[in-house]
Amino acid sequence: MKSFLLLFLFTNSLLPVFSQSNLLESAKNNPSEAKKICNKFRELNLKGKSASSNEAIEYVSKKSNLNPFNAEIFSIYVIGLYCPEII
């Protein structure tokens, strides 16, 4: 029973790592979608809003079907890969 519990806890602790890896792969494998997101971030920057604003995260969340936490991580990956000038 103890070994099952340890395995369960260990496996669950790895889930965020696997999901972050999948988010990075998704950003790398979908450059056209990432560029659309960059364009939205540029538009928001022109309005004085950052890519980490609630509006930006909500946009990415809906566009990519992600929860807000993962949408924020995905946004960081997209910015790093495709539009590092974004604030």
Side-chain angles (χ1 to χ4, degrees), residues 20-87:
Q20 288 181 10
S21 176
N22 290 338
L23 289 172
L24 176 57
E25 287 302 314
S26 178
K28 287 174 20 180
N29 293 333
N30 297 305
S32 62
E33 281 301 310
K35 290 176 185 178
K36 289 177 187 175
I37 292 171
C38 285
N39 288 337
K40 179 65 173 182
F41 289 162
R42 286 185 189 98
E43 179 184 310
L44 290 170
N45 280 182
L46 288 174
K47 295 178 182 178
K49 297 182 180 182
S50 78
S52 61
S53 69
N54 288 339
E55 185 178 346
I57 299 305
E58 186 176 316
Y59 170 80
V60 173
S61 178
K62 288 180 180 177
K63 180 125 180 100
S64 303
N65 196 27
L66 297 168
N67 65 46
F69 178 76
N70 285 335
E72 191 164 4
I73 293 169
F74 184 74
S75 297
I76 293 167
Y77 288 144
V78 167
I79 291 168
L81 291 170
Y82 299 100
C83 45
E85 77 283 359
I86 297 296
I87 59 167

Side-chain angles (χ1 to χ4, degrees), residues 3-34:
S3 61
F4 175 74
L5 180 60
L6 288 174
L7 179 62
F8 177 77
L9 292 173
F10 177 73
T11 303
N12 281 343
S13 69
L14 290 178
L15 289 177
V17 173
F18 290 136
S19 74
Q20 288 181 10
S21 176
N22 290 338
L23 289 172
L24 176 57
E25 287 302 314
S26 178
K28 287 174 20 180
N29 293 333
N30 297 305
S32 62
E33 281 301 310

